[in-house]
Amino acid sequence: MPSQYEAAGTLVTEDMMAEELPLGPDPERWVAAIHGDVDTGFDEISINQIGDDQDGFFTFWRNELQPRLG
């Protein structure tokens, strides 16, 4: 039920999310998280932009992440 999702969402803060997920413009944090997932056994990883700045996301991917990931 939507109300249950809303209630569960009050238990998670932005700071808690930032500790667990590779958020923001630091490419090394993203690379470490991606390598950690690969080391865990994932063979497919989806990386996407949530928000309006799709061009910025693709620039970040092309210039920062893709070269570091090989």
Short mmCIF file of all heavy atoms in Angstrom, two decimals:
data_model
loop_
_atom_site.label_atom_id
_atom_site.label_comp_id
_atom_site.label_asym_id
_atom_site.label_seq_id
_atom_site.Cartn_x
_atom_site.Cartn_y
_atom_site.Cartn_z
N MET A 1 0.84 -1.18 0.00
CA MET A 1 0.00 0.00 0.00
C MET A 1 0.89 1.25 0.00
O MET A 1 1.92 1.26 0.68
CB MET A 1 -0.90 0.00 1.23
CG MET A 1 -1.82 -1.20 1.37
SD MET A 1 -3.07 -1.34 0.09
CE MET A 1 -4.08 0.05 0.45
N PRO A 2 0.48 2.28 -0.70
CA PRO A 2 1.27 3.51 -0.72
C PRO A 2 1.56 4.08 0.67
O PRO A 2 2.65 4.57 0.92
CB PRO A 2 0.40 4.47 -1.55
CG PRO A 2 -0.38 3.57 -2.44
CD PRO A 2 -0.65 2.33 -1.63
N SER A 3 0.60 3.98 1.56
CA SER A 3 0.82 4.52 2.91
C SER A 3 1.93 3.76 3.64
O SER A 3 2.66 4.35 4.44
CB SER A 3 -0.47 4.48 3.72
OG SER A 3 -0.91 3.13 3.87
N GLN A 4 2.09 2.49 3.35
CA GLN A 4 3.16 1.71 3.98
C GLN A 4 4.52 2.13 3.44
O GLN A 4 5.49 2.20 4.19
CB GLN A 4 2.92 0.23 3.77
CG GLN A 4 1.69 -0.27 4.52
CD GLN A 4 1.30 -1.68 4.15
OE1 GLN A 4 1.41 -2.07 2.99
NE2 GLN A 4 0.83 -2.43 5.14
N TYR A 5 4.61 2.41 2.15
CA TYR A 5 5.86 2.91 1.58
C TYR A 5 6.20 4.26 2.18
O TYR A 5 7.35 4.55 2.50
CB TYR A 5 5.76 3.02 0.05
CG TYR A 5 5.96 1.72 -0.65
CD1 TYR A 5 4.88 0.99 -1.13
CD2 TYR A 5 7.23 1.20 -0.85
CE1 TYR A 5 5.05 -0.21 -1.78
CE2 TYR A 5 7.42 0.00 -1.50
CZ TYR A 5 6.32 -0.70 -1.96
OH TYR A 5 6.52 -1.89 -2.61
N GLU A 6 5.20 5.09 2.31
CA GLU A 6 5.40 6.42 2.89
C GLU A 6 5.92 6.30 4.32
O GLU A 6 6.86 6.98 4.72
CB GLU A 6 4.08 7.18 2.86
CG GLU A 6 4.24 8.67 2.79
CD GLU A 6 2.91 9.35 2.54
OE1 GLU A 6 2.32 9.13 1.46
OE2 GLU A 6 2.48 10.10 3.44
N ALA A 7 5.34 5.41 5.09
CA ALA A 7 5.77 5.22 6.48
C ALA A 7 7.18 4.65 6.54
O ALA A 7 8.00 5.09 7.35
CB ALA A 7 4.80 4.28 7.20
N ALA A 8 7.50 3.69 5.68
CA ALA A 8 8.84 3.10 5.67
C ALA A 8 9.87 4.14 5.25
O ALA A 8 11.00 4.13 5.74
CB ALA A 8 8.88 1.91 4.72
N GLY A 9 9.49 5.05 4.37
CA GLY A 9 10.41 6.08 3.91
C GLY A 9 10.84 7.04 5.01
O GLY A 9 11.91 7.65 4.92
N THR A 10 10.06 7.16 6.04
CA THR A 10 10.43 8.05 7.14
C THR A 10 11.57 7.47 7.97
O THR A 10 12.19 8.18 8.75
CB THR A 10 9.22 8.32 8.06
OG1 THR A 10 8.80 7.09 8.66
CG2 THR A 10 8.08 8.96 7.30
N LEU A 11 11.86 6.18 7.81
CA LEU A 11 12.92 5.53 8.57
C LEU A 11 14.30 5.71 7.93
O LEU A 11 15.31 5.37 8.53
CB LEU A 11 12.62 4.03 8.72
CG LEU A 11 11.28 3.68 9.36
CD1 LEU A 11 11.06 2.18 9.30
CD2 LEU A 11 11.23 4.19 10.79
N VAL A 12 14.33 6.22 6.70
CA VAL A 12 15.59 6.35 5.96
C VAL A 12 15.84 7.82 5.68
O VAL A 12 15.00 8.51 5.11
CB VAL A 12 15.52 5.57 4.63
CG1 VAL A 12 16.80 5.71 3.84
CG2 VAL A 12 15.19 4.11 4.88
N THR A 13 17.02 8.30 6.07
CA THR A 13 17.37 9.70 5.83
C THR A 13 18.26 9.81 4.58
O THR A 13 18.82 8.82 4.12
CB THR A 13 18.14 10.28 7.02
OG1 THR A 13 19.40 9.61 7.13
CG2 THR A 13 17.36 10.12 8.32
N GLU A 14 18.40 11.02 4.07
CA GLU A 14 19.30 11.26 2.95
C GLU A 14 20.73 10.89 3.31
O GLU A 14 21.46 10.34 2.49
CB GLU A 14 19.22 12.71 2.50
CG GLU A 14 17.95 13.05 1.76
CD GLU A 14 17.93 14.47 1.24
OE1 GLU A 14 19.01 15.01 0.92
OE2 GLU A 14 16.84 15.04 1.16
N ASP A 15 21.14 11.18 4.53
CA ASP A 15 22.49 10.83 4.97
C ASP A 15 22.70 9.32 4.98
O ASP A 15 23.78 8.83 4.61
CB ASP A 15 22.78 11.40 6.36
CG ASP A 15 22.92 12.92 6.36
OD1 ASP A 15 23.21 13.48 5.27
OD2 ASP A 15 22.74 13.53 7.43
N MET A 16 21.69 8.57 5.38
CA MET A 16 21.80 7.11 5.38
C MET A 16 21.96 6.59 3.95
O MET A 16 22.76 5.69 3.71
CB MET A 16 20.56 6.49 6.03
CG MET A 16 20.46 6.74 7.52
SD MET A 16 18.84 6.34 8.21
CE MET A 16 18.88 4.55 8.16
N MET A 17 21.22 7.17 3.03
CA MET A 17 21.33 6.76 1.62
C MET A 17 22.73 7.09 1.09
O MET A 17 23.34 6.29 0.39
CB MET A 17 20.27 7.46 0.78
CG MET A 17 18.85 7.05 1.11
SD MET A 17 18.48 5.36 0.63
CE MET A 17 18.54 5.48 -1.13
N ALA A 18 23.23 8.26 1.42
CA ALA A 18 24.53 8.70 0.92
C ALA A 18 25.66 7.81 1.44
O ALA A 18 26.68 7.67 0.77
CB ALA A 18 24.78 10.15 1.31
N GLU A 19 25.48 7.21 2.60
CA GLU A 19 26.50 6.31 3.14
C GLU A 19 26.53 4.98 2.39
O GLU A 19 27.57 4.34 2.32
CB GLU A 19 26.22 6.03 4.62
CG GLU A 19 26.51 7.21 5.53
CD GLU A 19 26.15 6.90 6.97
OE1 GLU A 19 26.00 5.70 7.32
OE2 GLU A 19 26.03 7.86 7.75
N GLU A 20 25.41 4.56 1.85
CA GLU A 20 25.29 3.23 1.24
C GLU A 20 25.41 3.22 -0.27
O GLU A 20 25.74 2.18 -0.84
CB GLU A 20 23.95 2.60 1.64
CG GLU A 20 23.80 2.39 3.14
CD GLU A 20 24.83 1.42 3.69
OE1 GLU A 20 25.15 0.42 3.00
OE2 GLU A 20 25.32 1.65 4.80
N LEU A 21 25.10 4.33 -0.92
CA LEU A 21 25.06 4.35 -2.37
C LEU A 21 26.11 5.31 -2.94
O LEU A 21 26.40 6.33 -2.32
CB LEU A 21 23.67 4.82 -2.85
CG LEU A 21 22.51 3.93 -2.43
CD1 LEU A 21 21.19 4.60 -2.78
CD2 LEU A 21 22.61 2.58 -3.11
N PRO A 22 26.61 5.03 -4.11
CA PRO A 22 27.55 5.96 -4.74
C PRO A 22 26.79 7.11 -5.38
O PRO A 22 26.36 7.04 -6.53
CB PRO A 22 28.26 5.09 -5.80
CG PRO A 22 27.24 4.07 -6.17
CD PRO A 22 26.45 3.81 -4.91
N LEU A 23 26.58 8.16 -4.62
CA LEU A 23 25.85 9.33 -5.10
C LEU A 23 26.83 10.48 -5.30
O LEU A 23 27.83 10.57 -4.61
CB LEU A 23 24.78 9.75 -4.08
CG LEU A 23 23.79 8.66 -3.68
CD1 LEU A 23 22.92 9.16 -2.53
CD2 LEU A 23 22.94 8.26 -4.85
N GLY A 24 26.52 11.34 -6.23
CA GLY A 24 27.32 12.55 -6.41
C GLY A 24 28.40 12.43 -7.45
O GLY A 24 28.50 11.44 -8.17
N PRO A 25 29.24 13.45 -7.54
CA PRO A 25 30.19 13.58 -8.65
C PRO A 25 31.56 12.96 -8.43
O PRO A 25 32.46 13.16 -9.25
CB PRO A 25 30.31 15.10 -8.80
CG PRO A 25 30.18 15.59 -7.39
CD PRO A 25 29.16 14.68 -6.75
N ASP A 26 31.77 12.21 -7.35
CA ASP A 26 33.08 11.62 -7.09
C ASP A 26 33.21 10.31 -7.88
O ASP A 26 32.65 9.29 -7.48
CB ASP A 26 33.26 11.35 -5.60
CG ASP A 26 34.60 10.71 -5.27
OD1 ASP A 26 35.43 10.51 -6.18
OD2 ASP A 26 34.83 10.41 -4.08
N PRO A 27 33.97 10.32 -8.98
CA PRO A 27 34.04 9.10 -9.80
C PRO A 27 34.69 7.93 -9.08
O PRO A 27 34.34 6.77 -9.32
CB PRO A 27 34.87 9.53 -11.01
CG PRO A 27 35.60 10.73 -10.59
CD PRO A 27 34.77 11.40 -9.54
N GLU A 28 35.61 8.19 -8.16
CA GLU A 28 36.28 7.09 -7.46
C GLU A 28 35.31 6.32 -6.58
O GLU A 28 35.43 5.11 -6.42
CB GLU A 28 37.48 7.61 -6.66
CG GLU A 28 38.57 8.18 -7.54
CD GLU A 28 39.03 7.23 -8.65
OE1 GLU A 28 39.10 6.01 -8.43
OE2 GLU A 28 39.31 7.74 -9.76
N ARG A 29 34.34 7.02 -6.01
CA ARG A 29 33.33 6.33 -5.20
C ARG A 29 32.49 5.41 -6.07
O ARG A 29 32.15 4.29 -5.69
CB ARG A 29 32.46 7.36 -4.49
CG ARG A 29 31.49 6.73 -3.55
CD ARG A 29 30.89 7.70 -2.60
NE ARG A 29 30.01 6.96 -1.70
CZ ARG A 29 29.12 7.51 -0.93
NH1 ARG A 29 28.99 8.80 -0.89
NH2 ARG A 29 28.37 6.77 -0.15
N TRP A 30 32.15 5.88 -7.27
CA TRP A 30 31.38 5.05 -8.20
C TRP A 30 32.19 3.84 -8.64
O TRP A 30 31.69 2.73 -8.67
CB TRP A 30 30.99 5.89 -9.43
CG TRP A 30 29.84 6.80 -9.17
CD1 TRP A 30 29.90 8.09 -8.71
CD2 TRP A 30 28.47 6.49 -9.32
NE1 TRP A 30 28.65 8.60 -8.60
CE2 TRP A 30 27.74 7.63 -8.96
CE3 TRP A 30 27.78 5.36 -9.73
CZ2 TRP A 30 26.35 7.67 -9.00
CZ3 TRP A 30 26.40 5.41 -9.77
CH2 TRP A 30 25.70 6.55 -9.41
N VAL A 31 33.44 4.07 -8.99
CA VAL A 31 34.30 2.98 -9.46
C VAL A 31 34.45 1.92 -8.37
O VAL A 31 34.35 0.72 -8.63
CB VAL A 31 35.66 3.51 -9.93
CG1 VAL A 31 36.64 2.39 -10.17
CG2 VAL A 31 35.48 4.36 -11.19
N ALA A 32 34.68 2.35 -7.14
CA ALA A 32 34.81 1.40 -6.03
C ALA A 32 33.54 0.58 -5.85
O ALA A 32 33.59 -0.63 -5.64
CB ALA A 32 35.16 2.15 -4.74
N ALA A 33 32.39 1.24 -5.94
CA ALA A 33 31.12 0.53 -5.78
C ALA A 33 30.90 -0.47 -6.92
O ALA A 33 30.47 -1.60 -6.68
CB ALA A 33 29.96 1.52 -5.72
N ILE A 34 31.20 -0.06 -8.13
CA ILE A 34 31.01 -0.94 -9.28
C ILE A 34 31.95 -2.14 -9.19
O ILE A 34 31.54 -3.28 -9.38
CB ILE A 34 31.21 -0.16 -10.59
CG1 ILE A 34 30.06 0.85 -10.75
CG2 ILE A 34 31.29 -1.11 -11.79
CD1 ILE A 34 30.31 1.91 -11.81
N HIS A 35 33.21 -1.89 -8.86
CA HIS A 35 34.16 -3.01 -8.70
C HIS A 35 33.73 -3.93 -7.57
O HIS A 35 33.87 -5.15 -7.67
CB HIS A 35 35.58 -2.49 -8.49
CG HIS A 35 36.24 -2.03 -9.74
ND1 HIS A 35 36.67 -2.90 -10.72
CD2 HIS A 35 36.53 -0.79 -10.18
CE1 HIS A 35 37.21 -2.22 -11.71
NE2 HIS A 35 37.13 -0.93 -11.41
N GLY A 36 33.18 -3.36 -6.49
CA GLY A 36 32.68 -4.19 -5.40
C GLY A 36 31.55 -5.10 -5.85
O GLY A 36 31.49 -6.27 -5.48
N ASP A 37 30.66 -4.56 -6.67
CA ASP A 37 29.56 -5.38 -7.20
C ASP A 37 30.09 -6.48 -8.11
O ASP A 37 29.64 -7.63 -8.05
CB ASP A 37 28.56 -4.51 -7.96
CG ASP A 37 27.75 -3.61 -7.04
OD1 ASP A 37 27.71 -3.87 -5.82
OD2 ASP A 37 27.15 -2.64 -7.55
N VAL A 38 31.05 -6.14 -8.96
CA VAL A 38 31.64 -7.15 -9.85
C VAL A 38 32.33 -8.23 -9.03
O VAL A 38 32.18 -9.43 -9.29
CB VAL A 38 32.63 -6.49 -10.85
CG1 VAL A 38 33.42 -7.54 -11.60
CG2 VAL A 38 31.87 -5.59 -11.82
N ASP A 39 33.08 -7.82 -8.00
CA ASP A 39 33.77 -8.78 -7.14
C ASP A 39 32.79 -9.69 -6.41
O ASP A 39 33.12 -10.83 -6.08
CB ASP A 39 34.66 -8.06 -6.14
CG ASP A 39 35.85 -7.37 -6.79
OD1 ASP A 39 36.15 -7.66 -7.97
OD2 ASP A 39 36.46 -6.51 -6.12
N THR A 40 31.60 -9.18 -6.14
CA THR A 40 30.57 -9.96 -5.47
C THR A 40 29.96 -11.00 -6.39
O THR A 40 29.36 -11.96 -5.95
CB THR A 40 29.48 -9.02 -4.91
OG1 THR A 40 30.09 -8.11 -4.01
CG2 THR A 40 28.39 -9.77 -4.18
N GLY A 41 30.10 -10.79 -7.70
CA GLY A 41 29.59 -11.77 -8.65
C GLY A 41 28.57 -11.24 -9.64
O GLY A 41 28.10 -11.99 -10.50
N PHE A 42 28.22 -9.97 -9.53
CA PHE A 42 27.29 -9.42 -10.51
C PHE A 42 27.95 -9.39 -11.87
O PHE A 42 29.11 -9.01 -12.00
CB PHE A 42 26.86 -7.99 -10.12
CG PHE A 42 25.93 -7.95 -8.95
CD1 PHE A 42 26.42 -7.78 -7.66
CD2 PHE A 42 24.56 -8.07 -9.13
CE1 PHE A 42 25.57 -7.74 -6.58
CE2 PHE A 42 23.70 -8.02 -8.06
CZ PHE A 42 24.20 -7.86 -6.78
N ASP A 43 27.21 -9.78 -12.91
CA ASP A 43 27.77 -9.73 -14.26
C ASP A 43 27.05 -8.69 -15.12
O ASP A 43 27.43 -8.46 -16.27
CB ASP A 43 27.77 -11.09 -14.93
CG ASP A 43 26.40 -11.73 -15.01
OD1 ASP A 43 25.41 -11.10 -14.59
OD2 ASP A 43 26.33 -12.87 -15.48
N GLU A 44 26.03 -8.06 -14.58
CA GLU A 44 25.36 -6.96 -15.24
C GLU A 44 25.08 -5.88 -14.21
O GLU A 44 24.56 -6.17 -13.13
CB GLU A 44 24.05 -7.40 -15.88
CG GLU A 44 24.24 -8.33 -17.05
CD GLU A 44 22.94 -8.65 -17.76
OE1 GLU A 44 22.01 -7.80 -17.73
OE2 GLU A 44 22.84 -9.73 -18.32
N ILE A 45 25.42 -4.64 -14.54
CA ILE A 45 25.21 -3.51 -13.64
C ILE A 45 24.59 -2.39 -14.46
O ILE A 45 25.07 -2.06 -15.53
CB ILE A 45 26.53 -3.04 -13.02
CG1 ILE A 45 27.13 -4.16 -12.17
CG2 ILE A 45 26.33 -1.78 -12.18
CD1 ILE A 45 28.52 -3.90 -11.68
N SER A 46 23.53 -1.83 -13.96
CA SER A 46 22.85 -0.72 -14.62
C SER A 46 23.18 0.58 -13.89
O SER A 46 23.05 0.66 -12.67
CB SER A 46 21.34 -0.96 -14.61
OG SER A 46 20.67 0.14 -15.15
N ILE A 47 23.62 1.56 -14.63
CA ILE A 47 23.94 2.87 -14.07
C ILE A 47 23.05 3.87 -14.79
O ILE A 47 23.02 3.91 -16.01
CB ILE A 47 25.42 3.23 -14.31
CG1 ILE A 47 26.31 2.16 -13.71
CG2 ILE A 47 25.74 4.60 -13.74
CD1 ILE A 47 27.75 2.27 -14.12
N ASN A 48 22.31 4.67 -14.03
CA ASN A 48 21.43 5.63 -14.68
C ASN A 48 21.32 6.92 -13.89
O ASN A 48 21.68 6.97 -12.72
CB ASN A 48 20.05 5.03 -14.94
CG ASN A 48 19.35 4.61 -13.68
OD1 ASN A 48 19.32 5.34 -12.71
ND2 ASN A 48 18.79 3.42 -13.67
N GLN A 49 20.84 7.92 -14.56
CA GLN A 49 20.61 9.24 -13.98
C GLN A 49 19.16 9.34 -13.56
O GLN A 49 18.26 9.02 -14.34
CB GLN A 49 20.92 10.32 -15.01
CG GLN A 49 20.36 11.69 -14.72
CD GLN A 49 21.03 12.38 -13.55
OE1 GLN A 49 22.05 11.95 -13.05
NE2 GLN A 49 20.45 13.47 -13.11
N ILE A 50 18.94 9.76 -12.34
CA ILE A 50 17.58 10.03 -11.89
C ILE A 50 17.49 11.54 -11.74
O ILE A 50 18.13 12.12 -10.87
CB ILE A 50 17.27 9.33 -10.56
CG1 ILE A 50 17.40 7.83 -10.73
CG2 ILE A 50 15.88 9.70 -10.07
CD1 ILE A 50 17.30 7.03 -9.46
N GLY A 51 16.79 12.16 -12.62
CA GLY A 51 16.67 13.61 -12.59
C GLY A 51 16.67 14.18 -13.99
O GLY A 51 16.58 13.45 -14.98
N ASP A 52 16.80 15.48 -14.06
CA ASP A 52 16.66 16.18 -15.33
C ASP A 52 17.94 16.31 -16.13
O ASP A 52 17.89 16.58 -17.32
CB ASP A 52 16.11 17.59 -15.08
CG ASP A 52 14.72 17.55 -14.46
OD1 ASP A 52 14.00 16.57 -14.70
OD2 ASP A 52 14.38 18.51 -13.75
N ASP A 53 19.09 16.15 -15.52
CA ASP A 53 20.36 16.46 -16.21
C ASP A 53 20.94 15.24 -16.92
O ASP A 53 22.01 14.75 -16.58
CB ASP A 53 21.36 17.04 -15.21
CG ASP A 53 22.60 17.59 -15.89
OD1 ASP A 53 22.60 17.72 -17.13
OD2 ASP A 53 23.57 17.89 -15.17
N GLN A 54 20.24 14.78 -17.93
CA GLN A 54 20.71 13.62 -18.69
C GLN A 54 22.02 13.92 -19.41
O GLN A 54 22.91 13.07 -19.45
CB GLN A 54 19.65 13.16 -19.69
CG GLN A 54 18.38 12.64 -19.04
CD GLN A 54 18.62 11.39 -18.21
OE1 GLN A 54 19.27 10.45 -18.66
NE2 GLN A 54 18.09 11.37 -17.01
N ASP A 55 22.15 15.11 -19.98
CA ASP A 55 23.39 15.47 -20.67
C ASP A 55 24.57 15.45 -19.70
O ASP A 55 25.65 14.96 -20.03
CB ASP A 55 23.27 16.84 -21.34
CG ASP A 55 22.33 16.83 -22.52
OD1 ASP A 55 22.13 15.74 -23.12
OD2 ASP A 55 21.80 17.91 -22.86
N GLY A 56 24.37 15.98 -18.51
CA GLY A 56 25.42 15.96 -17.50
C GLY A 56 25.81 14.54 -17.10
O GLY A 56 26.99 14.24 -16.90
N PHE A 57 24.81 13.68 -17.00
CA PHE A 57 25.08 12.28 -16.67
C PHE A 57 25.94 11.62 -17.74
O PHE A 57 26.92 10.94 -17.44
CB PHE A 57 23.76 11.51 -16.51
CG PHE A 57 23.95 10.02 -16.53
CD1 PHE A 57 24.52 9.37 -15.44
CD2 PHE A 57 23.57 9.27 -17.62
CE1 PHE A 57 24.71 7.99 -15.45
CE2 PHE A 57 23.74 7.90 -17.64
CZ PHE A 57 24.31 7.26 -16.55
N PHE A 58 25.57 11.82 -19.01
CA PHE A 58 26.34 11.18 -20.08
C PHE A 58 27.74 11.76 -20.18
O PHE A 58 28.69 11.03 -20.50
CB PHE A 58 25.59 11.26 -21.41
CG PHE A 58 24.45 10.29 -21.47
CD1 PHE A 58 23.14 10.74 -21.53
CD2 PHE A 58 24.67 8.93 -21.45
CE1 PHE A 58 22.08 9.84 -21.57
CE2 PHE A 58 23.62 8.02 -21.49
CZ PHE A 58 22.32 8.49 -21.55
N THR A 59 27.90 13.04 -19.90
CA THR A 59 29.24 13.63 -19.87
C THR A 59 30.06 13.00 -18.74
O THR A 59 31.22 12.65 -18.93
CB THR A 59 29.15 15.16 -19.69
OG1 THR A 59 28.44 15.70 -20.80
CG2 THR A 59 30.53 15.78 -19.59
N PHE A 60 29.47 12.85 -17.56
CA PHE A 60 30.14 12.21 -16.42
C PHE A 60 30.52 10.77 -16.77
O PHE A 60 31.64 10.33 -16.49
CB PHE A 60 29.21 12.25 -15.20
CG PHE A 60 29.79 11.62 -13.97
CD1 PHE A 60 30.84 12.20 -13.30
CD2 PHE A 60 29.24 10.45 -13.46
CE1 PHE A 60 31.37 11.62 -12.15
CE2 PHE A 60 29.75 9.87 -12.31
CZ PHE A 60 30.82 10.46 -11.66
N TRP A 61 29.59 10.04 -17.38
CA TRP A 61 29.88 8.67 -17.78
C TRP A 61 31.05 8.62 -18.76
O TRP A 61 32.01 7.89 -18.55
CB TRP A 61 28.65 8.02 -18.40
CG TRP A 61 28.98 6.76 -19.14
CD1 TRP A 61 29.05 6.59 -20.47
CD2 TRP A 61 29.36 5.50 -18.56
NE1 TRP A 61 29.43 5.30 -20.77
CE2 TRP A 61 29.63 4.62 -19.61
CE3 TRP A 61 29.49 5.04 -17.25
CZ2 TRP A 61 30.02 3.30 -19.40
CZ3 TRP A 61 29.88 3.73 -17.05
CH2 TRP A 61 30.15 2.87 -18.11
N ARG A 62 30.96 9.41 -19.81
CA ARG A 62 31.96 9.38 -20.88
C ARG A 62 33.33 9.85 -20.40
O ARG A 62 34.34 9.24 -20.72
CB ARG A 62 31.46 10.24 -22.05
CG ARG A 62 32.35 10.22 -23.27
CD ARG A 62 31.78 11.03 -24.42
NE ARG A 62 31.37 12.38 -24.03
CZ ARG A 62 30.10 12.79 -23.89
NH1 ARG A 62 29.11 11.97 -24.12
NH2 ARG A 62 29.82 14.02 -23.53
N ASN A 63 33.37 10.92 -19.62
CA ASN A 63 34.65 11.53 -19.24
C ASN A 63 35.24 10.99 -17.94
O ASN A 63 36.46 11.03 -17.76
CB ASN A 63 34.50 13.04 -19.12
CG ASN A 63 34.14 13.69 -20.43
OD1 ASN A 63 34.38 13.15 -21.52
ND2 ASN A 63 33.55 14.87 -20.36
N GLU A 64 34.41 10.54 -17.03
CA GLU A 64 34.89 10.17 -15.70
C GLU A 64 34.82 8.67 -15.41
O GLU A 64 35.79 8.09 -14.92
CB GLU A 64 34.10 10.93 -14.63
CG GLU A 64 34.17 12.43 -14.74
CD GLU A 64 35.55 12.99 -14.48
OE1 GLU A 64 36.37 12.34 -13.81
OE2 GLU A 64 35.82 14.12 -14.95
N LEU A 65 33.68 8.06 -15.68
CA LEU A 65 33.51 6.65 -15.29
C LEU A 65 34.04 5.67 -16.33
O LEU A 65 34.81 4.76 -15.99
CB LEU A 65 32.04 6.35 -15.01
CG LEU A 65 31.46 6.98 -13.76
CD1 LEU A 65 30.00 6.58 -13.61
CD2 LEU A 65 32.24 6.58 -12.53
N GLN A 66 33.61 5.81 -17.55
CA GLN A 66 33.99 4.83 -18.57
C GLN A 66 35.50 4.64 -18.68
O GLN A 66 35.97 3.49 -18.71
CB GLN A 66 33.36 5.23 -19.91
CG GLN A 66 33.48 4.14 -20.95
CD GLN A 66 32.76 4.51 -22.23
OE1 GLN A 66 32.62 5.69 -22.55
NE2 GLN A 66 32.31 3.52 -22.97
N PRO A 67 36.30 5.71 -18.70
CA PRO A 67 37.75 5.50 -18.79
C PRO A 67 38.33 4.75 -17.58
O PRO A 67 39.28 3.98 -17.72
CB PRO A 67 38.33 6.91 -18.86
CG PRO A 67 37.21 7.78 -19.31
CD PRO A 67 35.96 7.13 -18.79
N ARG A 68 37.75 4.95 -16.41
CA ARG A 68 38.26 4.28 -15.20
C ARG A 68 37.83 2.81 -15.13
O ARG A 68 38.44 2.03 -14.42
CB ARG A 68 37.76 5.03 -13.97
CG ARG A 68 38.45 6.35 -13.73
CD ARG A 68 37.81 7.07 -12.55
NE ARG A 68 38.58 8.21 -12.10
CZ ARG A 68 38.48 9.42 -12.62
NH1 ARG A 68 37.65 9.67 -13.63
NH2 ARG A 68 39.21 10.41 -12.14
N LEU A 69 36.77 2.48 -15.83
CA LEU A 69 36.25 1.11 -15.76
C LEU A 69 36.81 0.22 -16.87
O LEU A 69 36.73 -1.00 -16.81
CB LEU A 69 34.72 1.12 -15.83
CG LEU A 69 34.04 1.77 -14.64
CD1 LEU A 69 32.55 1.93 -14.91
CD2 LEU A 69 34.28 0.97 -13.38
N GLY A 70 37.38 0.84 -17.89
CA GLY A 70 38.01 0.07 -18.95
C GLY A 70 37.13 -0.49 -19.97
O GLY A 70 36.10 -0.66 -20.21
#
